[in-house]
């Protein structure tokens, strides 16, 4: 969808609207034990995510029949909105039809009641007896969250509700641990259609998340329509992709009109969610300077960037520039009623300011000594301006570096220290540290993971993170507003990928943000049991939810060489979460709930395909089936996901074939600082030939001051070479400094070398094949390195697949 294609709240509702019928029915009564923190036996007894502050369980059930009425206080618009949400989400989850009935009889099975004695705008009480379920709250958000808790109870089993649904008798008294419970979506690197954002909002409310941080500008795109500065979207909303040879592809981009954004704000507000906009300054401003070079520093006009990382273009803090930002803030405040406005402040390398006579003169006049202090002065002016309009400024933790302005709040992303320093100084903070809560990180090492950063953040790691750093003084703990997960979009191109990165890990963030702090170890298995029904709700209507925590991983029990010699091949099966039952088949069919349960290492005949998936205790399948093929050809093949980094680096990224690829594969694990990959378990004793499939990938990285870490190898052919060497790890340890500077893989045994073709005319993917030299000292499980020596000015390369042939070519 392009920026001018609008979708109203009404239009989106019509996509998902359901019928309305009335009716009522009753059941049983009783009360007993109180559950607060989700201990193991308690937390899995009710399918609630996040776990409430207090649960008092009783005996008996309430049966809610199809067509049941929801009674509302007469004239209470807040209760009516919450009831509509409840009916809408329940119908979508299991088909149960409920209808809101203002002024309906008190005998209705579901009732909303306003209770001024309930303290807190987001607090609620849910009471379920044989006479019905009553949601009580003092405000709109409390009604919404009570409705979402009842939703989870009404849709616990994920099945159809043709005969009604039973809800256990209980009393829940609930309120959140933190006020800020957020998710950040970044449409700047890759534009997201507005329908995708609406879908995220719908799923956020079900787990009581209340803040959508919307990152609307960056080097790669300006997404907020400005009526006063139309070039920001005419020029700044569009970019060309990086070139991988043969010229660039079509433009990528889009923007949101103010009308679209107002509709989103209203839609989110109906669900208790605040949309916090971000316009990033003074760095990450290349799209701005491309649109209006007069607001840049040195007068040049760059293209809108297609490079991920840190780029040099800065906003100019002179009077004209400050006036521009105030005008943009005026437009933002008109569209977004949120208390906070985010102004970025991150990753602003100050080289342009350092080289600008104008900025240096301005600093002298202001008595400012450093460029970081200049940024602090700028942030303070914006904070004062927002305060004059009843708003508050929040920025990334770099705004601390020049002295934190009194008006600013901090979002801590470079670990927790920014939050510690700011909170102890009396400033409000939101914890959003990398890598802990960066959801664009891969969730597992499974070979089908979509592109992203390779700093594995499993669901358990996210769940166990606590956003109350130990360094914050107890008296200052009140300044921790809450917690937020971020999904930066360098490698999130499609709505599918955005959903895959966010869900189900946002469920872990939601529980951390809402539920009371647990003394001692968190109950992760209990959390998974409670989250499983919510995962099924999220999947309704085709919503993508990652199964990485439950996907089956296969580990051979023998070396690769032993597998090639064996009459029986051993393999172990496991999933990351260590939850559920793994079931498998050996006949190529997909496993079902009655397939054989995995209990110990399997021993299978060569050529057998093991297919396995994880299942919940109730038989629900938790993961897609995954296959382990023991065919000889497969055992002689290494893929991008099985390769490791060479001795001089680490694979930090999993990247797609092109920067804007909409498919989830192929994907390549890569070290962009030294394009070399290693196969640590190469079956060289069995190999007479080697075939290497490679891909040429865009070198679109803004590295700023980290560019000096790039390793350049002397190319001895026109476009560089692929050098394949064995024993590279040991050779690296023994090589001296001079050897390392001049040789791609000093001291290793060279197996093959191939000149790389001209990237302007060659296809993007191709293969190299060679016979291997007769080196009897090379054994199975040898390490083999694939080093590319292409110039740093060219695209870089990665290995997609290596096939070891048992016969010479």
């Amino acid at each position: 969808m392009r920026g001018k294609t609008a979708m109203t709240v009404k239009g989106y509702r019509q996509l998902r609207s359901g019928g309305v019928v009335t009716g009522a029915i009753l059941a049983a009564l009783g009360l007993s034990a109180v559950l607060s923190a989700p201990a193991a036996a308690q937390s899995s007894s009710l399918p609630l995510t996040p776990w409430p502050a207090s649960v008092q369980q009783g005996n008996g059930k309430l049966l809610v029949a199809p067509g049941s009425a929801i009674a509302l206080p007469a004239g209470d618009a807040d209760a009516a909105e919450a009831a509509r949400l409840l009916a809408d989400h329940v119908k979508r989850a299991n088909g149960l039809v409920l209808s809101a009935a203002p002024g309906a009889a008190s005998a209705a099975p579901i009732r909303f009641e306003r209770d001024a004695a309930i303290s807190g705008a987001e607090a609620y009480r849910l009471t379920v007896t044989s006479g019905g379920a009553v949601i009580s709250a003092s405000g709109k958000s409390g009604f919404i969250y009570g409705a979402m808790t009842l939703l989870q109870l009404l849709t616990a089993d994920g099945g159809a509700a043709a005969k009604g649904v039973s809800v256990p008798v209980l009393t829940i008294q609930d309120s959140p641990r933190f006020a800020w419970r957020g998710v950040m979506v970044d449409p700047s690197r890759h534009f997201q259609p507005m329908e995708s954002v609406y879908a995220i909002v719908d799923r956020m409310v079900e787990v009581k998340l209340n803040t959508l941080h919307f990152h609307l500008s960056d080097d790669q795109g300006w997404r907020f329509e400005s009526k006063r500065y139309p070039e920001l979207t005419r020029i700044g909303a569009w970019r060309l992709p990086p070139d991988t040879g043969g010229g660039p592809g079509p433009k990528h981009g889009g923007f949101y009109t103010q009308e679209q954004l107002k509709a989103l704000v209203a839609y989110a507000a109906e669900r208790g969610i605040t949309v916090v906009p971000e316009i990033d300054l003074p760095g990450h401003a290349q799209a701005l300077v491309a649109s209006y070079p007069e607001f840049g520093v040195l007068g040049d006009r760059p293209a809108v960037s297609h490079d991920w990382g840190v780029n040099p273009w800065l906003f100019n803090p002179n009077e004209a520039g400050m006036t521009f930002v105030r005008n943009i803030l005026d437009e933002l405040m008109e569209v977004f009623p949120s208390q906070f406005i985010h102004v970025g402040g991150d990753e602003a390398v100050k080289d342009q300011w350092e080289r600008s006579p104008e900025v240096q003169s301005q600093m002298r006049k202001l008595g400012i000594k450093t460029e970081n202090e200049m940024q602090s002065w700028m942030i303070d002016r914006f904070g004062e301006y927002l305060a004059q309009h009843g708003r508050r400024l929040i920025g990334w933790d770099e705004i601390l570096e020049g002295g934190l302005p009194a008006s600013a709040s901090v979002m801590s992303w470079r670990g927790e220290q920014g939050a510690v320093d700011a909170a102890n100084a009396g400033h409000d903070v939101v914890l959003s540290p990398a890598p802990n809560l960066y959801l664009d990180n891969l969730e597992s090492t499974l070979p089908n993971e979509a592109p992203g950063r390779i700093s594995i953040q499993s669901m358990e790691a996210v769940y166990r993170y606590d956003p109350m750093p130990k360094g914050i003084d107890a008296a200052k703990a009140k300044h921790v507003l809450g917690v937020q997960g971020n999904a930066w979009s360098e490698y999130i191109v499609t709505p599918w990928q955005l959903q895959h990165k966010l869900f189900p890990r946002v469920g872990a963030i939601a529980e951390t943000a809402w539920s009371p702090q647990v003394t001692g170890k968190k109950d992760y298995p209990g959390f998974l049991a409670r989250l499983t029904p919510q995962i099924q709700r999220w999947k309704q209507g085709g919503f993508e939810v990652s199964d990485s925590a439950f996907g089956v991983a296969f580990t051979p029990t023998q070396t690769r060489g032993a597998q090639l010699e064996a009459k029986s091949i051993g393999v172990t099966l496991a999933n990351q979460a260590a939850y559920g039952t793994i079931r498998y088949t050996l006949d190529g069919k997909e496993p079902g709930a009655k397939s054989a349960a995995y209990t110990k290492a399997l021993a299978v005949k060569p050529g057998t395909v093991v297919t396995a998936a994880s299942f919940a205790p109730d038989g629900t399948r938790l993961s897609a089936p995954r296959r382990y093929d023991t065919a000889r050809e497969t055992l002689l093949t290494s893929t991008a996901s099985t390769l490791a980094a060479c001795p001089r680096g680490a694979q930090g990224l999993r990247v797609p074939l092109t920067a804007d690829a909409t498919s989830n594969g192929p994907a390549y694990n890569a070290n962009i600082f030294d394009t070399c990959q290693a196969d640590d378990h190469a079956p060289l004793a069995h190999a007479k030939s080697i075939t290497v499939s490679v891909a040429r990938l865009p070198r679109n990285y803004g590295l700023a001051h980290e560019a000096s870490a790039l390793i350049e190898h002397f190319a001895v052919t026109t476009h560089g070479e692929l050098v394949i060497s064995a024993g590279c790890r040991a050779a690296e340890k023994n090589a001296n400094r001079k050897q390392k500077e001049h040789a791609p893989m000093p001291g290793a045994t060279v197996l093959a070398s191939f000149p790389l073709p001209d990237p302007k005319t060659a296809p993007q993917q191709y293969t190299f094949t060679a016979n291997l030299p007769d080196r009897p000292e090379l054994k199975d499980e040898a390490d083999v390195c694939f080093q590319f020596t292409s110039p740093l000015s060219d695209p870089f390369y990665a290995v997609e697949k290596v096939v070891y042939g048992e016969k010479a070519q």
Side-chain angles (χ1 to χ4, degrees):
M1 186 189 79
R2 298 303 185 188
K4 295 274 185 188
T5 304
M7 171 169 272
T8 64
V9 174
K10 180 180 179 181
Y12 186 73
R13 282 178 179 162
Q14 288 173 347
L15 295 177
R16 310 181 299 103
S17 59
V20 175
V21 189
T22 61
I25 211 163
L26 304 176
L29 177 62
L31 292 175
S32 68
V34 174
L35 309 180
S36 53
Q42 300 167 339
S43 63
S44 61
S45 62
L46 293 170
L48 300 177
T49 306
W51 186 252
S54 173
V55 180
Q56 187 176 17
Q57 287 191 271
N59 299 313
K61 294 182 180 296
L62 165 70
L63 179 62
V64 179
S68 291
I70 305 173
L72 304 173
D76 195 322
D78 293 339
E81 181 61 42
R84 188 190 65 77
L85 288 175
L86 173 62
D88 182 29
H89 284 250
V90 169
K91 184 176 186 295
R92 188 154 39 116
N94 66 3
L96 180 66
V97 175
L98 306 172
S99 70
S106 59
I110 300 173
R111 303 189 296 277
F112 283 78
E113 295 180 356
R114 190 171 288 271
D115 185 348
I118 295 177
S119 178
E122 296 184 308
Y124 69 92
R125 181 177 61 247
L126 171 62
T127 305
V128 180
T129 70
S130 63
V134 180
I135 298 170
S136 304
S138 60
K140 175 180 177 179
S141 292
F143 280 137
I144 291 172
Y145 298 136
M148 293 301 100
T149 296
L150 184 55
L151 160 72
Q152 293 185 353
L153 295 172
L154 286 168
T155 59
D157 63 6
K163 296 182 180 180
V165 176
S166 293
V167 179
V169 167
L170 50 71
T171 298
I172 292 175
Q173 300 194 66
D174 203 7
S175 60
R177 179 186 179 192
F178 291 112
W180 187 300
R181 307 181 301 281
V183 169
M184 190 217 70
V185 172
D186 166 28
S188 293
R189 275 56 178 245
H190 283 108
F191 183 72
Q192 285 288 324
M194 187 59 86
E195 294 91 337
S196 171
V197 185
Y198 277 104
I200 298 297
V201 168
D202 269 339
R203 274 68 186 191
M204 286 173 63
V205 67
E206 291 186 352
V207 288
K208 304 179 176 65
L209 294 167
N210 70 349
T211 305
L212 176 65
H213 174 181
F214 215 18
H215 184 82
L216 290 170
S217 79
D218 216 295
D219 297 306
Q220 299 81 14
W222 184 285
R223 307 301 181 208
F224 173 73
E225 179 198 30
S226 169
K227 306 284 190 181
R228 190 158 186 167
Y229 302 101
E231 299 296 272
L232 289 171
T233 47
R234 191 184 73 83
I235 294 174
W238 309 94
R239 61 167 173 79
L240 288 172
D243 190 7
T244 57
K251 283 187 176 182
H252 174 91
F255 65 94
Y256 307 112
T257 67
Q258 291 193 12
E259 290 72 23
Q260 283 180 299
L261 291 167
K262 287 178 180 178
L264 172 66
V265 166
Y267 187 87
E270 290 175 354
R271 287 147 183 81
I273 294 172
T274 299
V275 183
V276 174
E278 178 186 355
I279 297 297
D280 205 349
L281 296 167
H284 289 294
Q286 190 166 334
L288 159 60
V289 180
S291 305
Y292 289 95
E294 61 266 34
F295 298 133
V297 177
L298 297 178
D300 64 328
R301 184 172 209 155
V304 178
S305 180
H306 52 46
D307 293 342
W308 317 141
V310 179
N311 295 306
W313 279 271
L314 298 180
F315 152 80
N316 192 330
N318 61 16
E319 184 52 40
M322 298 296 283
T323 298
F324 161 79
V325 175
R326 287 191 290 267
N327 290 337
I328 290 294
L329 292 176
D330 286 343
E331 290 192 85
L332 280 174
M333 288 187 285
E334 173 65 24
V335 173
F336 298 95
S338 58
Q339 180 186 25
F340 286 95
I341 303 291
H342 205 301
V343 298
D346 62 311
E347 297 181 323
V349 291
K350 305 301 193 298
D351 301 66
Q352 285 198 338
W353 284 2
E354 292 169 358
R355 301 177 195 184
S356 166
E358 180 185 10
V359 174
Q360 292 299 311
S361 175
Q362 183 180 6
M363 289 170 58
R364 287 192 296 272
K365 291 177 182 178
L366 292 170
I368 291 173
K369 296 181 179 179
T370 71
E371 286 73 22
N372 282 340
E373 291 175 359
M374 187 66 190
Q375 176 168 311
S376 180
W377 173 87
M378 180 199 76
I379 293 293
D380 202 17
R381 301 289 83 73
F382 297 157
E384 289 174 352
Y385 189 75
L386 290 171
Q388 292 168 10
H389 293 78
R391 307 296 186 92
R392 297 178 64 185
L393 179 147
I394 189 168
W396 301 107
D397 56 56
E398 283 95 333
I399 66 175
L400 287 160
E401 292 174 349
L404 187 61
S407 59
S409 299
V410 169
M411 187 168 281
S412 188
W413 75 274
R414 297 178 301 173
E416 298 179 334
Q417 193 58 48
V420 172
D421 294 343
N424 285 338
H427 296 270
D428 289 341
V429 300
V430 174
L431 272 295
S432 187
N436 312 70
L437 299 183
Y438 270 42
L439 302 183
D440 45 308
N441 280 306
L442 271 60
E443 191 175 348
S444 76
T445 57
L446 292 170
N448 65 331
E449 283 283 356
R453 305 172 201 253
I454 305 178
S455 175
I456 305 300
Q457 297 303 308
S458 67
M459 187 154 64
E460 181 174 8
V462 175
Y463 177 72
R464 295 197 184 283
Y465 175 73
D466 187 76
M468 187 60 72
K470 294 179 181 178
I472 295 178
D473 185 270
K476 303 291 186 178
K478 63 183 179 181
H479 288 295
V480 178
L481 297 179
V483 61
Q484 176 175 291
N486 295 334
W488 299 102
S489 69
E490 289 92 339
Y491 306 103
I492 298 175
V493 183
T494 65
W496 187 100
Q497 291 168 343
L498 177 60
Q499 295 163 13
H500 183 88
K501 293 293 186 183
L502 288 177
F503 297 89
R505 286 181 290 180
V506 293
I509 292 174
E511 179 139 320
T512 294
W514 180 280
S515 303
Q517 187 173 14
V518 179
T519 302
K521 190 176 182 180
K522 281 187 170 182
D523 172 28
Y524 184 55
F527 165 73
L528 294 176
R530 293 182 286 105
L531 184 67
T532 300
Q534 183 60 49
I535 289 174
Q536 299 309 311
R537 277 186 288 273
W538 282 329
K539 287 182 176 179
Q540 296 297 325
F543 197 79
E544 168 59 22
V545 181
S546 165
D547 69 351
S548 297
F550 310 109
V552 177
F554 304 91
T555 304
T557 62
Q558 300 139 300
T559 66
R560 203 167 180 183
Q563 286 180 291
L564 290 166
E565 300 287 348
K567 295 182 179 180
S568 178
I569 294 176
V571 60
T572 62
L573 285 58
N575 65 36
Q576 185 191 72
Y579 177 78
T581 300
I582 295 175
R583 298 186 180 276
Y584 67 93
T585 62
L586 303 178
D587 58 4
K589 295 180 180 178
E590 289 192 2
K594 295 183 179 180
S595 297
Y598 174 77
T599 58
K600 62 181 181 180
L602 303 179
V604 300
K605 292 180 179 180
T608 301
V609 176
V610 182
T611 308
S614 297
F615 291 82
D618 66 357
T620 301
R621 197 172 76 181
L622 297 172
S623 69
R626 287 169 170 82
R627 302 169 74 250
Y628 182 74
D629 189 351
T630 64
R632 196 166 189 83
E633 182 181 351
T634 304
L635 296 177
L636 288 164
T637 300
S638 299
T639 64
S641 296
T642 60
L643 299 179
C646 287
R648 301 188 207 179
Q651 295 188 124
L653 296 173
R654 183 170 173 82
V655 298
L657 185 62
T658 61
D660 303 323
T662 57
S663 61
N664 299 321
Y668 306 86
N669 295 353
N671 168 21
I672 64 172
F673 292 94
D674 186 9
T675 53
C676 181
Q677 292 160 285
D679 186 349
D680 284 326
H681 305 284
L684 291 186
H686 287 78
K688 299 297 183 182
S689 65
I690 188 169
T691 300
V692 186
S693 300
V694 304
R696 187 175 60 251
L697 305 172
R699 195 186 291 273
N700 61 319
Y701 300 98
L703 299 177
H705 299 155
E706 292 184 359
S708 60
L710 288 167
I711 297 176
E712 184 165 14
H713 299 282
F714 178 59
V716 297
T717 59
T718 305
H719 301 289
E721 311 82 44
L722 166 59
V723 181
I724 306 174
S725 305
C728 47
R729 296 197 183 280
E732 173 77 10
K733 291 179 181 179
N734 296 326
N736 61 43
R737 186 171 184 177
K738 187 175 182 180
Q739 287 174 314
K740 292 181 181 180
E741 288 176 355
H742 295 281
M745 204 56 63
T749 300
V750 177
L751 300 178
S753 292
F754 306 96
L756 296 169
D758 185 346
K760 294 181 180 179
T761 57
Q764 195 177 352
Q765 295 170 281
Y766 40 85
T767 60
F768 297 110
T769 299
N771 290 325
L772 295 175
D774 186 12
R775 299 295 296 265
E777 74 275 14
L778 298 177
K779 307 297 183 182
D780 282 332
E781 303 299 302
D783 59 279
V784 173
C785 287
F786 303 86
Q787 175 75 67
F788 296 94
T789 66
S790 55
L792 297 180
S793 57
D794 283 356
F796 75 96
Y797 293 82
V799 175
E800 181 174 357
K801 184 173 67 173
V802 181
V803 178
Y804 300 94
E806 294 186 281
K807 295 181 179 180
Q809 296 291 311

